[in-house]
Amino acid sequence: MNFSEVFRHTNQLCRVSPDGKCLATCVQYRLVVRNINTLQILHLYTCLDQIAHVEWSSDSQFILCAMYKRGLVQVWSLEQPDWHCKIDEGSAGLVSSRWSPDGRHVLNTTEFHLRVTVWSLCSKSVSYIKYPKACQKGLDFSRDGRYMALAERRDCKDHISVFVCEDWQLLRHFETDTQDLSGVEWSPNGCVLAVWDSCLEYKVLLYSLDGRLLSTYSAYGWSLGIKSIAWSPSSQFLAIGSYDEKVRILNHITWKKLTEFEHPVSISDSRAVVYREMERRAVAGSDDLSIHHQIPAGTSLFSTQSKYEICELPIYVPIVKPDPDRANPKIGVSTMAFSSDSRYLATKNDNMPNNVWVWDMQRLCLLAVLEQRAPVRCFQWDPRRPRLALCTGSTKVFLWSPGGCLSVQVPAEGSFQVLSLSWHCGGDSLILLSKEHLCLCYVEAGRCVGVGVRYPSR
Amino acid sequence: MGDRWMTAMPESSLENQDISCNSSQFTIYPSMYPTQFAVHSSIPFSKNSYSILSAFCSEENISQCISYINQEVSSLGFPAICTECSGQPELNMVSVLNTVYELLQLHRRSQRTLENLETEQFKYSSNLEHLQLSNSKLKDQLEHSKRENTGLFERERQLQMKIKSLQNSLKNEKEEVQKLQNIISSRATQYNHDMKRKEREYTKLKERLNQLLIDKKDKKLAIEVLNYVGRSDGKRSLWKTGKTEARNEEEMYQTLLKNYESRQKDLMVENAELKKVLQQMKKEMVSILSSRKHSLKGETIEESLEQTASDNEEDVCDSSRETLELSCEHAREQLTNSIRQQWRLLKDHMEKLNSQASLVQNGKWVDNDVIPRKAHEEEMDKLKLEIQQCKDFIQTQQQLWQQQLSSPCDDETAALLNDCYMLEEKERLKEEWRLFDEQRRNFEKERKNFTEAAIRLGRERKAFEEDRATWLKHQFLNMTPFIDRKKPQTSYSHSALSKSPESEMKIVSTPGQLKKSLSHTSFSTPKATPVKMPSTTDLHRTLRLIPEHRSFKTQPKMGNLQDSILSSDISDKTRVLKAGNCSIYTLSDAENSPK
């Protein structure tokens, strides 16, 4: 495993182009575009203000830089560095800006969610979409970029509009049976739209592309409901994480519950393997059981090294008691992610912040639990392989694969505390972000899984 | 001595009398004593002091005393102690003494009774005391329990009060809950209402803001582009017309359709795979079951029927194979039906095997119809060994005989004798063989009957199933003219009718056979058991039983003769003997014997 040198960035703004060739980073006013392989600067653009948001267009031709405070969006072209475009939302303000899937339109949401403005880069046309709803995820494009679903609020009722992205024509408009719609999400095949209610009510509605209600699912009433939703890449499963610390899996044929994954305090399922991150100071006696990775030379002397140990079951997961008087209590499943082959599901329960749970979707059971020393900040699946990378705000990167677990020290000068990470689309490198710096971690595809990793000796 | 006897007698009689009139005496004595004491208060005194002056009797008043005593004594019912002879009372010494004696006796007795009474009194008093004590104890107890009772009552009252109060509080709570619920619901409605109002206001405000933004002609609201870029797909944008709308709709439906098609394809593939699995399962089941049947078939007559049945099965197989492609409803039904049927058969078989296994474990396998091959072989080996041993024995015997005979006789006679022996042996063996053959034939006939019946039963079941299937088929496909199915059905029903007398027949005939064979036939269901195995067992059984039989057989022949000649009490014996051979005879005998 190799690491690149360290670069500066601000606001955690660092994006890899969809084609995987370039890396865009923001340093205050400046936008720096590098070649991902050589890390040479290709282009350098200077914006009018500190950049708040960066996004690549789908064809990797343009980069959008939003400056929300100024209500400005600047678009830069990679092919024509001289080309420039500036969109000013004026007094309407700007809270969110994004590309349309075709990479030729910019969708700006104004302040107070007054409207969504669709700016075209191809023509002078501007269109407005009124009544967008301010919610968790009020807008979603289908995976193929053909359709956009937008949650709206009209006459105190939730509606959904489905637009054709090609010409922004309204395809379908229908009212939903929700109290307070919280989000919409297309299935990866773009044929089913999952709509969920706010956390006050556990309700998931599934609509066909043509606006027919396919199914409604509600697991329980009264107590706080859905916290997160995730489609499997195969569109076969819909995982619903909720405040009752469970994940429910719906199937795509009947839209009924297949199973539910609990996050129990005591793990006694013998099929599950529990990996516990151990600080290196511990006596390294049980070498045969432990899985650790020798970090390359040149690391700082003061950093503690860590390794994984397989725990004997049953084990007790440390929990954090949520404050019952506060809104949005830190309990329940807030983050879920399916692996690219839909084979595994990784979840995180908010009142067990140090643990990541990996579930086997073939056998529908718990496969592994990773217990970290610090709260897990971020985890992401390799887009190509069943491999999960996670970070805890420490100086290490952790990787899980069905074969085992490993932790890697980031060999940077000073302390490089990994706050977030993202995979390169090719799955052979990771972009690690600390508060002000970033570096690339090259994970050799074939070797990583095998090296220094052992199957649990059971 | 005689006197004593004499006196003792009246005494005892008196005593008896006393006892008999005990109650009266008891009432009398206590009342008499005080009076006597009152009258003769001085007497004990005088007796103690012995003062002559105060004595009752003195020299002077003897006669008065006598008369007085006489009077008293007579009044007490004693004979007079003096006889009036010449006016002068003459003291009759004998009677006096008698009287005195009687009195003394009386006194002693009364003393004794007194003592008794006293002890009794003491006993009673102690008893009484005890009773009083216990009484007081019981009273205490009663008091205590009463107190306890009142305490409990009190507690119960208190608890009841508590319950009442709790019920009250519950009611209150309920009311409170109700109230709170009402409050919540009212607040919720109020909240919702307010929310709606606010949202409306908010949307109004938004509208207004929007309007204002538009009206203001915001100069800043603009896009500055160096030059417009082409679309990513290189095409030019189209005007929004009805056409594009229609196109969009079409595309949408196409994507939906595509999705459904792919899903259907997936499902088809899955279905086909499942069907394949089912098919395979069925095939395997059929093969397992048919192998069983084939082993059964061996000696059955109705092989042709069997053949048709298997043909039918194959038919089903073929048709279901076709249905794999057709996947039409009735075919699926057929497939599942046939699978179900096979499965049922297999399950039955498994259950049977299970029960047999348990039987074997219990050590009852000797009686069982299916004997494991191993046991069989063991048995066979054992019997062979036995036969060998017997033969050896016979040979040695013969040798010994020959030796014995040859020593006095010459060679010729020995050879003759030998021949004789051989002939005799041969004869006997022939006879045995014949007998055994007969028996075997009987067995086989019976087995045939049984297998026949079982096969018929199986056939009928199959026919029924088939009938049902065809019926269903008819249901589903009214058009297809499957007509010639009814024929087998009728024949089967006929066989069903014919079956019952057969079974009766068997019941009649089986007691004629050995007891063991009876158990065998009644237990066996020919389908489940390979035919050859019971036959060999029977053979061995019969082989083992032949010596007994022979003895029976030879005797009854004589017995029959005797029966006709001799008296009837022998017939009893012969009946018992014959019982081994045939019960029909014994039945007739039993009927005859009372006559």
Side-chain angles (χ1 to χ4, degrees), chain A residues 158-171:
Chain A
D158 292 315
H159 292 79
I160 283 171
S161 294
V162 178
F163 292 93
V164 180
C165 294
E166 199 183 350
D167 50 8
W168 302 107
Q169 204 162 38
L170 183 66
L171 186 71

Side-chain angles (χ1 to χ4, degrees), chain A residues 161-187:
Chain A
S161 294
V162 178
F163 292 93
V164 180
C165 294
E166 199 183 350
D167 50 8
W168 302 107
Q169 204 162 38
L170 183 66
L171 186 71
R172 281 287 183 277
H173 179 81
F174 49 89
E175 193 184 316
T176 62
D177 183 25
T178 46
Q179 285 290 314
D180 179 18
L181 190 149
S182 180
V184 293
E185 191 164 322
W186 287 105
S187 67

Side-chain angles (χ1 to χ4, degrees), chain A residues 83-86 88 91 104 112-115 121-122 124 130-131 153 167 169 172 191 212, chain B residues 199 206-207 209-210 213 218 220-222 224 226-230 240 248-249 252-253 259-260:
Chain A
W83 185 89
H84 61 85
C85 169
K86 190 180 93 182
D88 195 338
S91 46
R104 294 293 180 272
F112 311 114
H113 284 78
L114 270 181
R115 65 190 180 206
L121 300 185
C122 306
K124 261 190 168 171
K130 278 211 269 183
Y131 314 111
R153 186 82 180 174
D167 50 8
Q169 204 162 38
R172 281 287 183 277
C191 287
R212 279 179 302 121
Chain B
E199 206 177 321
K206 265 184 167 178
E207 283 284 323
L209 189 58
N210 221 356
L213 278 173
D218 197 350
K220 280 172 82 184
L221 181 74
E224 288 172 27
L226 190 71
N227 57 314
Y228 289 107
V229 291
K240 278 187 194 176
N248 284 334
E249 286 270 315
M252 180 192 82
Y253 283 121
N259 177 42
Y260 281 126

Side-chain angles (χ1 to χ4, degrees), chain B residues 342-379:
Chain B
Q342 300 288 341
W343 176 245
R344 218 175 297 135
L345 283 174
L346 200 66
K347 214 171 75 180
D348 285 352
H349 181 54
M350 285 309 286
E351 270 165 14
K352 221 171 280 162
L353 282 180
N354 259 346
S355 64
Q356 270 164 19
S358 65
L359 272 176
V360 166
Q361 273 174 354
N362 292 339
K364 288 177 190 171
W365 56 274
V366 183
D367 290 348
N368 209 355
D369 44 353
V370 173
I371 294 164
R373 187 157 289 236
K374 210 172 166 189
H376 224 277
E377 274 161 14
E378 269 171 30
E379 187 80 1

Side-chain angles (χ1 to χ4, degrees), chain A residues 59 62 80 82-92 102 104 112-115 119-124 126 128 130-132 134 144 146-147 153 156-157 164 166-169 171-172 179 189 191 208-210 212 214 252-253 255, chain B residues 191-192 195-197 199-200 202-203 205-207 209-210 213-214 216 218 220-233 235 237-242 244-249 251-256 258-260 263 267:
Chain A
D59 55 0
F62 299 97
Q80 302 163 268
D82 301 334
W83 185 89
H84 61 85
C85 169
K86 190 180 93 182
I87 301 165
D88 195 338
E89 279 293 336
S91 46
D102 63 354
R104 294 293 180 272
F112 311 114
H113 284 78
L114 270 181
R115 65 190 180 206
W119 300 94
S120 172
L121 300 185
C122 306
S123 64
K124 261 190 168 171
V126 182
Y128 298 107
K130 278 211 269 183
Y131 314 111
D144 59 359
R146 293 258 289 269
Y147 303 104
R153 186 82 180 174
C156 306
K157 271 177 189 137
V164 180
E166 199 183 350
D167 50 8
W168 302 107
Q169 204 162 38
L171 186 71
R172 281 287 183 277
Q179 285 290 314
N189 63 12
C191 287
S208 167
L209 179 57
D210 54 354
R212 279 179 302 121
L214 293 173
H252 74 308
I253 308 267
W255 303 111
Chain B
Y191 166 78
N192 278 340
M195 269 290 273
K196 263 186 192 161
R197 197 164 53 81
E199 206 177 321
R200 250 178 231 128
Y202 165 65
T203 44
L205 266 173
K206 265 184 167 178
E207 283 284 323
L209 189 58
N210 221 356
L213 278 173
I214 289 163
K216 212 172 120 193
D218 197 350
K220 280 172 82 184
L221 181 74
I223 178 164
E224 288 172 27
V225 189
L226 190 71
N227 57 314
Y228 289 107
V229 291
R231 285 158 55 99
S232 52
D233 53 3
K235 281 188 233 160
S237 61
L238 297 160
W239 291 103
K240 278 187 194 176
T241 52
T244 56
E245 210 167 292
R247 193 168 52 86
N248 284 334
E249 286 270 315
E251 268 174 20
M252 180 192 82
Y253 283 121
Q254 262 174 4
T255 48
L256 273 179
K258 222 180 277 168
N259 177 42
Y260 281 126
R263 246 164 80 175
L267 286 174

Side-chain angles (χ1 to χ4, degrees), chain B residues 14-180:
Chain B
L14 224 152
E15 232 174 27
N16 279 351
Q17 210 177 21
D18 270 3
I19 290 158
S20 63
C21 55
N22 219 356
S23 59
S24 64
Q25 272 186 351
F26 266 116
T27 51
I28 290 159
Y29 283 128
S31 59
M32 270 176 71
Y33 272 108
T35 52
Q36 277 180 334
F37 266 99
V39 174
H40 318 288
S41 56
S42 55
I43 296 169
F45 232 79
S46 59
K47 263 187 186 165
N48 284 346
S49 58
Y50 262 97
S51 60
I52 301 154
L53 280 172
S54 57
F56 165 66
C57 182
S58 61
E59 291 292 328
E60 299 96 53
N61 59 354
I62 279 177
S63 57
Q64 282 115 14
C65 277
I66 285 169
S67 62
Y68 174 73
I69 292 288
N70 196 29
Q71 258 175 25
E72 283 291 305
V73 162
S74 56
S75 75
L76 279 172
F78 289 107
I81 51 165
C82 56
T83 45
E84 205 85 28
C85 104
S86 67
Q88 187 73 354
E90 184 79 16
L91 202 62
N92 189 351
M93 257 337 257
V94 176
S95 72
V96 164
L97 281 173
N98 273 339
T99 312
V100 166
Y101 177 74
E102 292 269 323
L103 277 170
L104 272 172
Q105 285 289 327
L106 257 176
H107 177 67
R108 210 167 293 147
R109 217 178 298 140
S110 60
Q111 210 79 36
R112 223 181 298 138
T113 43
L114 187 68
E115 248 167 53
N116 277 348
L117 281 171
E118 266 172 356
T119 51
E120 215 145 293
Q121 166 81 15
F122 189 69
K123 223 163 71 189
Y124 281 137
S125 67
S126 70
N127 222 347
L128 188 68
E129 219 165 276
H130 174 72
L131 282 172
Q132 268 167 352
L133 210 77
S134 61
N135 192 20
S136 64
K137 223 187 272 173
L138 283 170
K139 262 184 190 162
D140 278 359
Q141 227 165 3
L142 184 70
E143 199 71 18
H144 183 70
S145 53
K146 262 184 187 165
R147 242 178 294 132
E148 229 166 56
N149 204 12
T150 48
L152 282 172
F153 265 121
E154 179 61 23
R155 245 182 87 192
E156 195 194 338
R157 201 181 54 80
Q158 278 174 1
L159 283 173
Q160 223 116 33
M161 291 273 282
K162 217 172 169 182
I163 285 167
K164 229 173 253 175
S165 69
L166 280 173
Q167 269 171 345
N168 271 337
S169 62
L170 180 71
K171 213 199 229 165
N172 287 342
E173 290 294 320
K174 268 186 185 164
E175 273 167 17
E176 191 78 8
V177 165
Q178 192 61 46
K179 218 167 74 186
L180 284 172

